[in-house]
Amino acid sequence: MDHPVAVTQASFLWVIPALPLAGAVVNALLGWKLQRALGRRAVHAIAVAAVVASFLVALLFFTRMLGLGAEERTLHERLWNLFTAGRLSADLAFSLDPLSMALVLVITGIGALIHVFSIGYMADEPAYWRFFCYLNLFVFAMLLLVMGDNFVVMFFGWEGVGLASYLLIAFWYTDPQKAAAGMKAFVVNRIGDFGFLLGLLLLFWALGGAWTPRPAALRNLEYQPVPELGAFAAATDAAQAEALAPLVEGVKVGPTLSFRELRDQIAVEATGVRARLDGATIWGLPVLALVGILLFVGAMGKSAQLPLYVWLPDAMAGPTPVSALIHAATMVTAGVYMVARLSFLFALSASAMGWVALVGALTAAFAASIGFFQYDIKKVLAYSTVSQLGFMFIGVGVGAYWAGTYHLVTHAFFKATLFLGSGSVILGCHHEQDMRKMGGLGQHMPITRWTYLVACIAIAGFPVANGFYSKDEILWKAFTSDHLALFGAPVPWLGPAIYLLGILTAIGTAFYMYRSYYMTFTGSYRGGAAGHDGHGVDAGHGDGHDRGHAHVPHESPWTITAVLAVLAVGSVLSLFLGLPTLWTGVAPAFERWLEPVVAEVHFREAAHGTEWLFQLFGVLAATVGWLSARALYKDGRSQVPARLKERFARAWNVVYQKYYVDELYDLVVVGPAVRLAGLLSWIDKRVVDGLVHLVGAIGRLVAELDGAIDRYLVDGAVNAVAFGTAGLGRSLRRIQTGHVQTYLYGALGGALVVVLLNFLIR
């Protein structure tokens, strides 16, 4: 990656995200009419066709990409300029390279299968059109996120995904609990987004200048732009902004929002950008480390990492297809994609990489431990998702970007199978989600059982399915990494420590996933009369499933079982993308696919025998977890779990209550925030409003005084003049008699007075 990216211009890339958007718009405007006039088939036909068509168009571009050289597989299309501000210009532009293409195929392919699954699962939902409208909107936003050529388009998708997830999680918004779950997801993600924006702004400023100490001043730092970069030069349109950018070996240098331009500036040493960023500090902290950590805060929110993971388990309040779409194939992997997309930036900071990997490892272990004792089948899968996301961040954190992204792909297959399988179980058990009220479903729901088992094999890490190859590669790269740092200091033991935590988590993963399988599908059926006892979250739909009557579990319709079968097959066949070099003598196919677009990080060399041994450790970890779950939960006969629960009741309760993290948030964050809001409300009502009322009262008093002056002084004076004039007029009116003799006498008298005065004056 020491040369600029070779770009191949393409047309009609915009069609891929436009098709789901069109489906969402049509159902938003006409869906309720179509559902009323033509039935539900018209609604889902539009939604499913939009996503399937998007997948087919993506396949066409994938075929075209395969025909290009490895260094030429960046397809680009510019539609129009969004804005120009001085040197800065951002376009509505789309880009497809091997990384984004992999995500597009996952989003549209698995997204289409989830749409088909929803036809059967949401069959009795009154707001059927609204559900499919939101699904299409979500797919559009996710495609915008991964196909955006710059931070602006990506951020539109980033926020769009947040909005669509809120709408889907709170789909049954008339239930306060479900509405609160949607709001919780929305708010927690906004916290992460704030960190993402701070990191982006800090990076933007660092590309155009530096911070210098400013003693003897209130501000201890002063931002100084680099003059030759012209970061603050004026431009009125995109062409002028392009002309103002200095070029070094064909690479534009300076502040940019384009991923490709940013990558080129760092890759080409002659630009000096990498050297300047390496030495840049702010408040004594390395800018690159701070930028990486702040961007990762955004990923922590979107991808549910400690401590911003709390929204994801509650997001199970949405319909089960939503859980599969959001928590398996799309939204929660957005943070992983962002780190992989900016791998050239994260690879420059060992501290940023160390923190990403460490937080991922801690999250994986923490979430896995909570999954041990959950009884709601969807909650088990929710914490499993948080844990598996932790594995992905271990991968991208240690620099194994292809392995982290590959785990994203494998996870999309087996976790979608698990979530949709749980939905099939919930539907077959008439909306029961408590695994203690299941059991024996294997004989009633054979297709669901076998597909769920295949997914369990994959996530546990057995070599016959895809999960082994992605997870094993991540842990191996973690063990052989010696380049990680924390707080700016190298920590050579961090990689092996992460490996140890990861292998223990792998044992736990196999345990709680096989626990869910055995509690659900083996033994005898423990359910009774249908009815929702508070455990399930899908109670808002399915009024036509005879709730409230005795029932026997049943297999789901073909729209559900066919999707499960396809996903289960994908969980096996996708293993061929990650066959290790140790087995084949060549790099894994997926690693070769991503090699031109992700940063290269070097790992410690190790003997082949050591690698074989560590692969054996991975298989042993899966086996230990599986056999432990089998001994304790198969057929529901063992009394050991009950005895252990009774003996370690306090510890069990702490884990079952999710370590009281939500309660801690309520105590430390939510409670003080609510009390602060109450205090501010009191200040607003009592102090601010009181001051406003006081000013108003003073204003009224002044107005009344002014009115009194106006009435009694001004009006009084005016009235006095009027009354005086009227009185004088009345007096003079007496002189007007109408007799000529009287007037002559008056004139004569006046003349005499004049003569007399003249005589006296002289």
Side-chain angles (χ1 to χ4, degrees):
M1 291 181 63
D2 56 353
H3 53 80
V5 175
V7 176
T8 302
Q9 295 300 322
S11 300
F12 303 108
L13 288 179
W14 60 270
V15 173
I16 298 175
L19 287 168
L21 176 62
V25 170
V26 170
N27 271 326
L29 298 178
L30 304 174
W32 65 278
K33 292 184 179 179
L34 292 173
Q35 183 173 330
R36 181 179 300 176
L38 303 175
R40 290 175 168 81
R41 181 171 297 180
V43 171
H44 69 239
I46 294 170
V48 173
V51 182
V52 170
S54 181
F55 175 66
L56 294 176
V57 174
L59 280 179
L60 291 176
F61 283 108
F62 176 65
T63 304
R64 178 180 176 185
M65 192 177 289
L66 288 175
L68 299 173
E71 300 295 333
E72 301 172 342
R73 290 173 177 164
T74 297
L75 307 179
H76 180 268
E77 181 181 24
R78 177 186 182 274
L79 297 183
W80 61 75
N81 179 253
L82 289 173
F83 66 84
T84 297
R87 259 285 316 278
L88 183 66
S89 181
D91 297 329
L92 178 59
F94 296 107
S95 180
L96 275 181
D97 61 10
L99 176 61
S100 54
M101 176 58 78
L103 270 291
V104 166
L105 292 176
V106 168
I107 294 164
T108 55
I110 295 183
L113 293 174
I114 294 170
H115 276 66
V116 174
F117 178 95
S118 301
I119 295 172
Y121 193 84
M122 302 297 289
D124 301 307
E125 172 57 48
Y128 195 73
W129 63 272
R130 183 164 58 90
F131 179 77
F132 278 97
C133 169
Y134 293 167
L135 281 186
N136 273 184
L137 181 65
F138 185 93
V139 172
F140 159 71
M142 194 67 200
L143 289 171
L144 204 63
L145 190 158
V146 300
M147 291 183 63
D149 181 60
N150 53 61
F151 281 104
V152 176
V153 180
M154 176 196 234
F155 197 70
F156 271 113
W158 192 274
E159 294 302 307
V161 164
L163 171 63
S165 67
Y166 164 73
L167 295 173
L168 286 167
I169 294 168
F171 180 76
W172 291 310
Y173 58 87
T174 54
D175 184 334
Q177 183 181 3
K178 296 172 175 57
M183 185 62 70
K184 185 176 182 178
F186 189 82
V187 171
V188 172
N189 273 275
R190 300 293 73 73
I191 295 172
D193 293 350
F194 181 68
F196 180 85
L197 279 175
L198 287 180
L200 177 58
L201 293 174
L202 186 61
L203 172 64
F204 178 78
W205 289 327
L207 288 171
W211 293 266
T212 57
R214 189 179 178 184
L218 293 177
R219 293 169 54 196
N220 62 349
L221 290 177
E222 182 178 16
Y223 180 72
Q224 296 287 348
V226 178
E228 58 268 22
L229 295 180
F232 295 96
T236 58
D237 55 37
Q240 288 187 17
E242 182 87 11
L244 288 170
L247 292 177
V248 177
E249 295 187 5
V251 176
K252 290 196 300 181
V253 182
T256 180
L257 293 173
S258 168
F259 301 128
R260 178 168 39 84
E261 292 177 3
L262 177 60
R263 181 261 182 209
D264 289 348
Q265 290 187 48
I266 292 174
V268 178
E269 287 191 18
T271 63
V273 172
R274 177 170 180 172
R276 189 168 69 250
L277 289 177
D278 277 338
T281 60
I282 180 170
W283 295 303
L285 300 173
V287 167
L288 281 174
L290 198 55
V291 166
I293 291 171
L294 287 172
L295 291 174
F296 179 55
V297 170
M300 288 162 62
K302 199 67 72 183
S303 296
Q305 297 296 283
L306 286 172
L308 300 180
Y309 75 96
V310 291
W311 66 270
L312 194 148
D314 287 0
M316 297 300 109
T320 298
V322 173
S323 302
L325 184 64
I326 293 179
H327 308 135
T330 52
M331 173 180 169
V332 293
T333 59
V336 180
Y337 167 78
M338 185 266 289
V339 176
R341 169 57 63 205
L342 300 177
S343 61
F344 54 83
L345 192 65
F346 279 88
L348 298 181
S349 173
S351 291
M353 293 176 66
W355 282 113
V356 171
L358 180 59
V359 170
L362 293 175
T363 302
F366 179 81
S369 68
I370 297 177
F372 289 169
F373 305 131
Q374 297 301 309
Y375 293 114
D376 185 324
I377 189 171
K378 286 180 67 176
K379 284 292 180 71
V380 174
L381 299 180
Y383 285 105
S384 168
T385 298
V386 177
S387 182
Q388 294 304 304
L389 288 166
F391 276 103
M392 296 177 206
F393 279 109
I394 293 174
V396 296
V398 301
Y401 298 106
W402 84 266
T405 308
Y406 180 46
H407 197 57
L408 182 157
V409 174
T410 62
H411 178 264
F413 279 103
F414 63 67
K415 188 53 64 66
T417 308
L418 290 167
F419 267 119
L420 297 183
S422 73
S424 179
V425 166
I426 293 168
L427 198 63
C429 292
H430 296 246
H431 308 283
E432 181 58 69
Q433 294 183 207
D434 191 335
M435 295 186 296
R436 291 170 295 187
K437 299 182 180 180
M438 297 178 185
L441 297 185
Q443 57 185 323
H444 302 289
M445 310 177 70
I447 299 177
T448 301
R449 172 197 181 174
W450 287 110
T451 54
Y452 195 95
L453 179 59
V454 168
C456 285
I457 292 171
I459 192 174
F462 288 103
V464 295
N466 58 12
F468 168 81
Y469 300 91
S470 54
K471 183 170 62 178
D472 181 79
E473 185 68 19
I474 287 171
L475 294 180
W476 173 246
K477 292 298 186 185
F479 181 78
T480 56
S481 62
D482 54 6
H483 51 270
L484 302 179
L486 296 175
F487 303 107
V491 186
W493 52 263
L494 183 58
I498 289 174
Y499 170 82
L500 180 60
L501 196 57
I503 203 69
L504 293 174
T505 302
I507 297 173
T509 300
F511 173 79
Y512 67 70
M513 286 311 308
Y514 274 103
R515 170 181 176 266
S516 72
Y517 169 77
Y518 287 122
M519 288 186 70
T520 303
F521 293 102
T522 66
S524 57
Y525 182 58
R526 298 181 292 273
H532 181 62
D533 63 355
H535 294 282
V537 293
D538 279 10
H541 107 279
D543 292 336
H545 289 292
D546 301 323
R547 204 179 312 163
H549 303 282
H551 70 278
V552 175
H554 56 83
E555 186 60 278
S556 299
W558 73 268
T559 53
I560 292 177
T561 55
V563 169
L564 292 175
V566 171
L567 290 170
V569 170
S571 299
V572 175
L573 294 183
S574 55
L575 70 84
F576 293 102
L577 296 174
L579 292 176
T581 306
L582 187 65
W583 295 12
T584 63
V586 296
F590 199 73
E591 181 180 6
R592 298 196 305 272
W593 175 252
L594 292 185
E595 184 178 6
V597 294
V598 296
E600 183 181 1
V601 176
H602 296 285
F603 295 87
R604 184 175 66 252
E605 292 291 334
H608 289 332
T610 304
E611 189 171 356
W612 278 109
L613 182 62
F614 274 74
Q615 289 186 359
L616 178 61
F617 288 162
V619 177
L620 287 175
T623 304
V624 170
W626 163 52
L627 292 178
S628 299
R630 187 178 189 277
L632 295 176
Y633 294 101
K634 186 176 184 298
D635 298 328
R637 295 174 181 174
S638 176
Q639 297 302 312
V640 175
R643 289 200 298 268
L644 290 175
K645 175 182 174 182
E646 184 178 356
R647 183 173 181 179
F648 302 101
R650 290 187 177 180
W652 182 92
N653 195 57
V654 168
V655 179
Y656 180 72
Q657 296 297 337
K658 299 158 285 188
Y659 298 101
Y660 296 100
V661 172
D662 283 328
E663 289 78 4
L664 182 62
Y665 267 109
D666 287 338
L667 179 66
V668 177
V669 179
V670 179
V674 171
R675 287 192 290 273
L676 177 62
L679 175 62
L680 294 177
S681 177
W682 183 88
I683 292 174
D684 180 59
K685 293 178 181 177
R686 305 289 181 173
V687 179
V688 178
D689 288 355
L691 290 174
V692 171
H693 294 158
L694 176 62
V695 172
I698 294 173
R700 287 196 302 271
L701 180 62
V702 171
E704 290 175 359
L705 178 62
D706 181 69
I709 292 173
D710 183 63
R711 285 193 302 272
Y712 298 113
L713 293 183
V714 178
D715 289 355
V718 172
N719 292 337
V721 172
F723 293 150
T725 303
L728 180 62
R730 285 193 297 272
S731 300
L732 293 175
R733 190 170 58 200
R734 296 174 182 173
I735 302 175
Q736 302 295 327
T737 63
H739 299 113
V740 176
Q741 297 90 334
T742 303
Y743 297 155
L744 289 175
Y745 291 146
L748 180 61
L752 291 175
V753 170
V754 171
V755 172
L756 179 61
L757 289 175
N758 187 50
F759 176 76
L760 291 174
I761 292 171
R762 286 185 177 183

